[in-house]
Amino acid sequence: MSAVTTPTAPAPSLTSVFVRLKLSLLRNGLRQSGGRTAAYLSTIVFGTVFAAAIVLAFVLMRGSADADSIAILVTGFVALAWAVMPLFIPSGDETLDPSRLVMLPLRPRPLVRALLVASLVGIGPVLTLILVLGAALSVAHGAAGTVVAVLAVPLSAVTCVALSRAVAAANVRLLTSRKGRDLALLSGLVIAVGMQLVNFGAQRLGQAGGLESLEPATAVVGWLPPAAAIGAVDAASKGDHAVAAARLLLTAAALAALVYWWQRSLVRLMVEPDGSTIGAASDAGTRDKSDGAGRLGRLLPGGRTGAVMDRSLRYIGRDPKTKAAWVTSLAIGLIVPIFNAFQGTGSIYFACFASGMLGMLMYNQFGQDGSGFWMVAQTISTTADAYAELRARALAMLAITLPYTALVTAVTAGILDDWSRLPEALGLALALLGAMTGTGAVTSAVFPYSIPQDSGYKNVAPGQGALAWGSILGGMIIGGLLCAPLIGANVYLHVSDQHSLLWLLLPVGALYGWLLVLAGLKLAAPRTANRLPEILTAVSKG
Amino acid sequence: MPDQAFDGAFEKAGAATGTAPAAGAVPAVRIEGLWKRFGQQIAVNGIDLVLPAGKFIGLVGPNGAGKTTTLSMITGLLRPDHGRILVAGHDVWADPESVAEVKARIGILPEGLRMFERLSGRELLAYSGRLRGLPGAEVDKRATQLLDVLDLTGSQNKLVVDYSTGMRKKIGLAAALLHNPEVLFLDEPFEGVDPVSAQTIRGVLERYTSSGATVVFSSHVMELVESLCDWVAVMAAGSIRAQGPLAEVRGSAPSLQAAFLELVGANGRAAAGDSLDWLGGGAGPAATGATGATGGVEG
């Protein structure tokens, strides 16, 4: 333990100060809001159940041929998660932010030691420890295996945490810059896509001869710290003492190297500018240099319509929350019908899923502006202004969603080889897109809610959750009901065997959808114009 | 701001803008019995206020006095509970016709400065000008000039989200001036702004008022208000404590700061700090413990 500060007073050690600081921050964070406490407690409950299940699963796996593969790969996966986590969830831990420590007279070595111990406090590290313990339990046999396991379990858990901190410290420049914060906002998307990939991989694994196909991966990961520590337990249990020792030493060496790397980054960070300074100083002069509206603007109509469309379309690429919403809608709208079609369980009507997902992008238009909405509110004084504003937003959205809906429907028809049903399905999809766009315009005006920009996980400000869900669910139900006449007509034509008339659903659906958009805009415009201050208040919360 | 500068400016005003009202005729802002409450708290407590046209007007008050709430209600961003607000003779909260008249005549730079931050400075100006219905070519011409005068040309293609505080205030000011409003409302325009940017903003505002337009800005920096404004309204706890020409509000007090502290009743706090007897040179950082600061205080 390091004794710093004055010799007169018995100062507490730096490590215990940091651990207590961490606990206080945790406690105060929970005291701040009941919702946070509830979330934290449910995380603990969920985590405990999860950990118990994992340990049980590992224990049950003892003795099975694939136990070593699973134990090593799971540990490797956990380490990978720790390594990438700080890139997506930055500054979750205030005690570890070097910018808060620069003013204090601290020496690097005791500081890093204290920080490392403090980072072990929390749900994540404890869960990791349990997980690694389970992994070790599943492969440890005999006295040698047990002895190595006693060393390996804490070693690999600490290595995971050190890895995470070292990566975070090395990337502070990225994480404190605007680009890093944008990256963090996209994390939900990365996690969703990653889960799809894992899901897909697991399905492939099930088909391709089971867990034996993991052997080569195990051979490699078993030498990579911290999974190498679990590999050491496995090797020791199998009698390969030299291999076990080598793997254990490798992990210990990796831990030392990580801590050294972390310490060097910390020292550097305390005297160098962070990303925010660099971002402000550098001139990002790579943007479209043309006057005013730019290249995109020249394609669009003039006046308010063009300006609003231009802004909406630019925001799809530039604003992380908008981008995430669009990419999610576009991806899921494509994945659901096409995956179902590939698996042979699909129907061409699944293509309507795409128009439903994309139509939801019209919901809460003003919430997407945030408190920047005042600029819009300042220029709307009549119903006609509000109509022009909403119509331009709908046009910007339809400029992408309309062709995309047609594309998804056509691709689904192609995979199913069901071209004869393309017109009716497309007609339904267009009607649904119109219904969602129309109801979206109305709910944007009547039920606006704020989308906090500071967190990637909050899409609704506290107290507005019910409003958000209510407007989306209500809008979806009404959107579906509005399409009922067309669905009825489709069913009727099928049942009454008038297949030659089914193509009519395409022009009728397109026209009906267009009318629904117009009706929605007409309904929404006066409500927007009359409620500007209320909308501004609602979208500026949080 | 010396008075003769304004006297001289008024002659130019009519010729230059054509839309500016004659001095002394219609006030820039007239407020009658304005009320706003948030839950239990009364933010604006039935105020009456007349702000003359063609002046540089400071709305001053401590934090939480209701300045921002009042400005929000004047500019149509927050609905009042009671009261009437006329801007350049048009009722802000009456029929859409008069609201349109008001919105076309005012420019605002709100506090907090949330804008469409994912646009570049130039794109933001292009967007807000077109929203206001100005022709595209005219918007681009004015944007170029404003960016130049406000020293933002070098950063015009950078996203606003990457701007510094001073740059954000300047681009906000440019957006507020783009349509040549009659009355400009600025909420804390100099807060967190460096001296160079502050001087630039000041220069633009002085040029703007000298042509007969009105600037209403809120602040709690008295030296600034004293050096810029010729007309002052003092707010505290949701009420107007004083309003009138700067010299009148200042009265016999040595400075506006002193007069302000008197008006808001904050003079009693000036002598605080007697209890910090350990603070100062000689004590040294190692002297821990609460008592026995024997040699700590000099003089």
Side-chain angles (χ1 to χ4, degrees):
Chain A
M1 287 292 135
S2 56
V4 282
T5 67
T6 56
T8 48
S13 85
L14 192 59
T15 308
S16 74
V17 170
F18 269 81
V19 170
R20 267 183 284 159
L21 173 63
K22 175 97 182 237
L23 290 171
S24 309
L25 287 170
L26 208 61
R27 197 170 49 234
N28 294 344
L30 296 183
R31 204 181 290 161
Q32 232 171 18
S33 84
R36 216 152 133 188
T37 313
Y40 197 77
L41 288 178
S42 53
T43 309
I44 290 181
V45 171
F46 180 77
T48 312
V49 171
F50 178 73
I54 290 278
V55 171
L56 187 68
F58 271 126
V59 169
L60 290 176
M61 236 171 11
R62 263 177 78 91
S64 106
D66 295 318
D68 54 345
S69 291
I70 301 271
I72 288 170
L73 288 180
V74 164
T75 313
F77 185 77
V78 169
L80 182 70
W82 274 100
V84 297
M85 195 182 65
L87 300 178
F88 296 115
I89 313 170
S91 67
D93 195 336
E94 287 173 274
T95 44
L96 302 162
D97 184 355
S99 65
R100 286 165 209 258
L101 306 171
V102 284
M103 306 298 285
L104 304 172
L106 300 172
R107 277 167 194 79
R109 200 175 281 270
L111 173 63
V112 165
R113 190 166 47 214
L115 285 176
L116 183 60
V117 176
S119 10
L120 292 171
V121 177
I123 302 181
V126 171
L127 277 185
T128 305
L129 189 70
I130 295 175
L131 219 126
V132 177
L133 177 71
L137 277 177
S138 73
V139 289
H141 300 280
T146 312
V147 170
V148 175
V150 168
L151 289 171
V153 169
L155 185 62
S156 45
V158 173
T159 308
C160 281
V161 175
L163 175 66
S164 177
R165 295 307 167 210
V167 168
N171 284 298
V172 158
R173 191 170 284 181
L174 172 69
L175 299 179
T176 50
S177 69
R178 198 249 311 159
K179 290 219 159 59
R181 292 195 299 273
D182 287 4
L183 187 70
L185 285 174
L186 292 175
S187 59
L189 192 63
V190 172
I191 290 167
V193 171
M195 273 167 71
Q196 285 299 318
L197 288 178
V198 168
N199 183 20
F200 192 64
Q203 283 181 8
R204 286 291 295 271
L205 212 60
Q207 293 160 1
L211 297 167
E212 272 159 38
S213 54
L214 292 176
E215 287 296 341
T218 310
V220 176
V221 178
W223 283 96
L224 293 177
I230 301 302
V233 178
D234 182 43
S237 305
K238 287 173 180 160
D240 289 338
H241 295 297
V243 173
R247 284 177 164 178
L248 210 55
L249 283 175
L250 192 64
T251 311
L255 176 61
L258 282 171
V259 171
Y260 178 69
W261 182 34
W262 181 18
Q263 182 184 322
R264 272 195 44 182
S265 305
L266 269 183
V267 171
R268 219 183 51 225
L269 279 175
M270 289 186 171
V271 293
E272 280 183 8
D274 66 6
S276 52
T277 314
I278 291 166
S282 73
D283 230 331
T286 49
R287 278 177 206 297
D288 199 349
K289 289 255 183 351
S290 56
D291 272 359
R295 228 171 295 145
L296 180 61
R298 277 196 282 281
L299 293 173
L300 299 171
R304 179 170 208 125
T305 308
V308 173
M309 284 181 75
D310 185 49
R311 212 257 323 144
S312 303
L313 292 172
R314 276 185 207 285
Y315 257 51
I316 296 172
R318 287 202 198 149
D319 182 54
K321 287 236 160 166
T322 314
K323 190 196 258 175
W326 271 90
V327 173
T328 310
S329 291
L330 291 173
I332 294 180
L334 186 69
I335 286 172
V336 168
I338 287 182
F339 269 44
N340 278 305
F342 268 127
Q343 288 175 350
T345 54
S347 140
I348 190 163
Y349 297 114
F350 270 107
C352 290
F353 198 83
S355 49
M357 284 300 295
L358 291 168
M360 272 187 356
L361 294 169
M362 188 67 195
Y363 284 62
N364 197 27
Q365 275 294 320
F366 304 128
Q368 293 172 26
D369 297 359
S371 40
F373 178 69
W374 69 267
M375 289 194 103
V376 177
Q378 266 300 298
T379 58
I380 293 179
S381 25
T382 59
T383 301
D385 291 338
Y387 183 75
E389 173 76 29
L390 284 163
R391 187 189 55 191
R393 286 174 190 244
L395 283 176
M397 208 197 76
L398 291 172
I400 296 176
T401 55
L402 206 59
Y404 194 80
T405 301
L407 177 82
V408 171
T409 317
V411 168
T412 312
I415 293 170
L416 291 169
D417 202 15
D418 196 4
W419 291 103
S420 62
R421 285 197 170 187
L422 178 62
E424 49 180 293
L426 190 55
L428 276 180
L430 292 179
L432 183 62
L433 186 61
M436 294 298 285
T437 310
T439 51
V442 176
T443 51
S444 291
V446 183
F447 304 114
Y449 60 92
S450 156
I451 303 177
Q453 293 295 317
D454 54 344
S455 157
Y457 304 96
K458 271 195 314 196
N459 280 315
V460 180
Q464 291 184 321
L467 188 66
W469 282 108
S471 71
I472 290 179
L473 282 178
M476 283 171 78
I477 291 168
I478 292 171
L481 287 178
L482 286 173
C483 290
L486 219 62
I487 297 170
N490 188 9
V491 172
Y492 172 75
L493 289 177
H494 273 287
V495 170
S496 63
D497 226 15
Q498 300 181 55
H499 291 278
S500 59
L501 292 177
L502 276 166
W503 65 272
L504 273 175
L505 285 172
L506 176 57
V508 170
L511 184 70
Y512 185 62
W514 184 242
L515 288 175
L516 287 177
V517 173
L518 290 181
L521 295 178
K522 281 275 178 229
L523 275 173
R527 284 161 181 77
T528 305
N530 292 333
R531 285 171 38 84
L532 289 169
E534 285 72 26
I535 295 175
L536 181 62
T537 309
V539 302
S540 309
K541 276 200 180 115
Chain B
M1 202 62 213
D3 274 339
Q4 61 266 31
F6 276 95
D7 296 339
F10 283 138
E11 272 98 50
K12 285 191 295 175
T17 63
T19 53
V26 186
V29 178
R30 177 186 288 279
I31 295 174
E32 293 162 4
L34 189 66
W35 267 86
K36 182 72 194 178
R37 78 193 259 178
F38 299 110
Q40 292 297 306
Q41 196 200 343
I42 296 171
V44 174
N45 194 354
I47 61 172
D48 297 299
L49 189 61
V50 179
L51 306 178
K55 302 271 181 192
F56 209 128
I57 298 162
L59 180 60
V60 300
N63 292 328
K67 304 188 295 288
T68 300
T69 309
T70 306
L71 283 183
S72 296
M73 290 191 287
I74 298 174
T75 51
L77 296 178
L78 182 70
R79 202 184 293 279
D81 294 340
H82 294 290
R84 205 160 85 101
I85 303 168
L86 300 174
V87 173
H90 300 277
D91 195 326
V92 181
W93 295 101
D95 54 300
E97 211 46 46
S98 91
V99 174
E101 289 290 332
V102 171
K103 286 189 173 177
R105 282 158 201 263
I106 62 171
I108 46 178
L109 180 68
E111 201 192 17
L113 279 170
R114 290 288 299 273
M115 288 173 273
F116 287 95
E117 300 185 345
R118 304 282 163 158
L119 297 178
S120 69
R122 178 170 273 284
E123 285 164 2
L124 183 75
L125 295 186
Y127 170 69
S128 55
R130 284 170 175 82
L131 277 193
R132 292 210 174 255
L134 297 174
E138 181 64 21
V139 172
D140 295 342
K141 196 187 87 192
R142 291 187 186 183
T144 306
Q145 292 172 352
L146 280 167
L147 289 167
D148 183 42
V149 169
L150 289 165
D151 201 18
L152 287 171
T153 307
S155 316
Q156 59 175 322
N157 295 312
K158 231 162 99 166
L159 297 191
V160 174
V161 69
D162 293 330
Y163 275 17
S164 66
T165 310
M167 288 160 79
R168 294 164 81 90
K169 296 268 183 191
K170 288 195 286 185
I171 198 70
L173 182 64
L177 287 171
L178 198 62
H179 56 292
N180 188 24
E182 266 174 52
V183 191
L184 186 60
F185 295 94
L186 311 166
D187 202 352
E188 304 283 2
F190 297 99
E191 192 150 88
V193 176
D194 68 280
V196 179
S197 297
Q199 190 52 41
T200 312
I201 293 177
R202 215 175 145 144
V204 171
L205 292 181
E206 281 172 349
R207 185 192 304 185
Y208 173 71
T209 42
S210 72
S211 71
T214 313
V215 170
V216 180
F217 84 97
S218 77
S219 180
H220 43 234
V221 185
M222 292 307 134
E223 291 80 3
L224 195 76
V225 173
E226 199 162 12
S227 71
L228 272 175
C229 299
D230 40 16
W231 214 94
V232 183
V234 180
M235 258 192 113
S239 324
I240 299 288
R241 294 287 162 88
Q243 56 175 311
L246 179 66
E248 212 172 276
V249 171
R250 188 167 48 201
S252 59
S255 66
L256 184 61
Q257 168 90 5
F260 173 77
L261 290 177
E262 186 70 38
L263 281 165
V264 303
N267 269 340
R269 304 239 0 114
D274 290 344
S275 58
L276 302 178
D277 55 352
W278 50 268
L279 188 63
T288 53
T291 55
T294 44
V297 185
E298 317 280 334

